[in-house]
Every structure is written in structure tokens, then in C-alpha cells.
Amino acid sequence: MSGLDDLPSLARVIANHGLAAKKSLGQNFLLDLNLTEKIARQAGDLRDCDVLEIGPGPGGLTRGLLSQGARRVLAVEKDARCLPALAEIAALSDGRLQVVQGDALDIDAASMLTPPVRIIANLPYNVGTELLVRWLDPGVWPPFWQSLTLMFQREVAERIVAQPGGKAYGRLAILSQWRTTPRIVMTLPPEAFTPAPKVHSAVVHFTRLDEPRFPADPKVLQRVVAMAFNQRRKMLRAALKGAAPDIEDRLRSVGIPPTERAEQVSLEGFCALARALEN
Ligand code: SAM
């Protein structure tokens, strides 16, 4: 990777291309190449994979992905100011880096990738959760990707891996853990970024399951989980009153006391309830 090693430091790249961070685009850049390589390593072996990176910015993580041997990197960046800096990396990438300018929420990246695909990104916080929900809830399962390795605010990462019984446990935990195994693999202090955000961050690695962990209809499961957690302080017999006239019987039929609250119910319990409501 000698060519990539000849690139200027990221601080120099930002100065050369006038990439003052824009808050509206969630721009908190990683400038330490050791750190970006470490993040790239958390995703596993990239050598036989296409990687989708959202928001490459000045290209710190992009460089890490290429130096870890990614077969190909498709990088989707909204900010046109970053394109010249990314073109400098592409020129030294032996054709492995393709940059697309646009909004990740609008682009059909799956059609531009060849499996196996890993998604790896230091996500813009303003669209991070929305992208995650789209990746976890596509029309068809299994999805086009093999794993996700994503940076979030630490509080969001804790909600993703949360277990029943606490305040962090909710819709995001259920959605994530139903179809993947998510793990927090790194935590980063605000000073790791330029400019430093107000909060700590964490990288979550999601390994996809070929089949959901427990059977359930995705729409029914989502509806019941949303109803239960929208009124999380109420007992389930009240929070789920609108789900079925005989909701107390259905809760009991799957072993959930109607007086329990949403945060006490396991993922397995919610899936059983979704099946009971479907019948
Ligand atoms: N990957 C770089 C790094 O680690 O230093 C930058 C990460 S920064 C947190 C988020 C990046 O996402 C910025 O470059 C920003 O311009 C880009 N971005 C923001 N919204 C986007 C969107 N909707 N689609 C694609 N890129 C977006």
C-alpha cells in the first residue's frame, strides 16, 4: 500500500481543501490514521469484500479500509467539497475506491455492490439511526450486507445492545437483536474527533443472522413493540389495549403477565406475542 502511505496527513488534507467542518452535515472528522485502521479492523477480513462507506469526508476511514485490503470501497458522500480530497485517494487505490456524491438516504447502493458486502462508517449522527433502521428492516431478509460496523453516539450504542430491565432497552434493541448480533467493539472520547462533539461515541459491530432469532411477522412485531414502548410506564394490558380486544388473554397465552411493563419483556416474549396476535 505504499502509494496510500504517501498521502499527506489528514490535517493537511483538510487545510489544502478548505474542509471546515459543517455541523449541519454531522461533520466530526477522525484525523488519527491508527484509529481509523483500528476501526476498519473491527469489521473483520475485508480482502474478499465490497465495502460500503457512508460519509467518507476527508477520507481517514476510507484510507483505513483500503490499507486493510478491502477488495473495493464504494464511498457515498453528500458534501461536494470533499470530492477532490477523495479523488487523491482514489488515484492511489489501484481502482479499488469509487466515490459517489449524493445523499445516502436516496442512493440505491446495493445495486452498485457485489456480495459479500460489509457496511462500515463513521456515520453523520443526524441520519445514523434512520440508515440503521433501513438496513435492519429491508423488505426481504437476509439483506444485501453481511455485517455493519458503525459509529454512534455512545448512548445510541447502549440502546442497541441493551437487555431487558433497564431504561436503555426499547425498540432499537429489539430491532437490532432480532436479526443481528450487535456488540460494542470500541468506545471513543470526544477528543478523538475534530471538532470534538459534546458526547462520547462507540463503534457497534452487527453480525447478521441468516434467519431472525425467533419467528415473527416483521410488521406485527414492530407494531406491538412500538405500542408497548410508546407507553413504556404503563402495564402492557393498558399499553396494548388497541392491539386486540382480548389482549390480556393473548398476553397470558404466551406467558407474559398483563401487569408487566414493556421493558421487562424479552425479545423472545415480544416475538411470541407478535405470533399470538397474528393468529
Ligand atoms: N468518515 C469521516 C471520518 O471518519 O472522519 C467523516 C465522518 S463525519 C462524522 C460524517 C460524514 O458524512 C461527513 O463527511 C458528512 O459530509 C457526510 N454526510 C452527512 N450527511 C450525509 C448523507 N445524508 N449522505 C452521505 N453523506 C453524508
Side-chain angles (χ1 to χ4, degrees), residues 25-30 53 55-57 76-78 102-104 122 124:
L25 286 170
Q27 291 183 336
N28 300 98
F29 299 131
L30 290 166
E53 184 191 3
V76 179
E77 174 57 59
K78 190 171 177 181
D103 188 329
N122 174 14

Side-chain angles (χ1 to χ4, degrees), residues 160-233:
I160 289 167
V161 302
Q163 296 299 309
K167 279 210 178 75
Y169 182 64
R171 294 170 69 172
L172 206 48
I174 295 202
L175 182 63
S176 304
Q177 295 170 31
W178 185 43
R179 285 168 157 171
T180 80
T181 303
R183 273 182 315 122
I184 294 181
V185 290
M186 276 173 79
T187 53
L188 290 90
E191 314 79 73
F193 301 85
T194 304
K198 289 203 174 66
V199 293
H200 280 67
S201 300
V203 177
V204 184
H205 181 73
F206 303 74
T207 311
R208 142 194 135 179
L209 302 173
D210 287 337
E211 297 274 345
R213 208 172 287 279
F214 307 105
D217 179 89
K219 288 206 169 62
V220 182
L221 178 63
Q222 267 175 45
R223 182 158 167 266
V224 71
V225 169
M227 286 178 89
F229 283 101
N230 280 348
Q231 303 191 67
R232 60 188 298 146
R233 292 171 62 184

Side-chain angles (χ1 to χ4, degrees), residues 24-31 36 53-62 76-79 82 102-105 121-127 131 193:
S24 60
L25 286 170
Q27 291 183 336
N28 300 98
F29 299 131
L30 290 166
L31 303 190
T36 59
E53 184 191 3
I54 305 300
L61 182 56
T62 319
V76 179
E77 174 57 59
K78 190 171 177 181
D79 186 353
C82 298
D103 188 329
L105 294 169
N122 174 14
L123 288 176
Y125 288 144
N126 42 358
V127 291
L131 284 169
F193 301 85

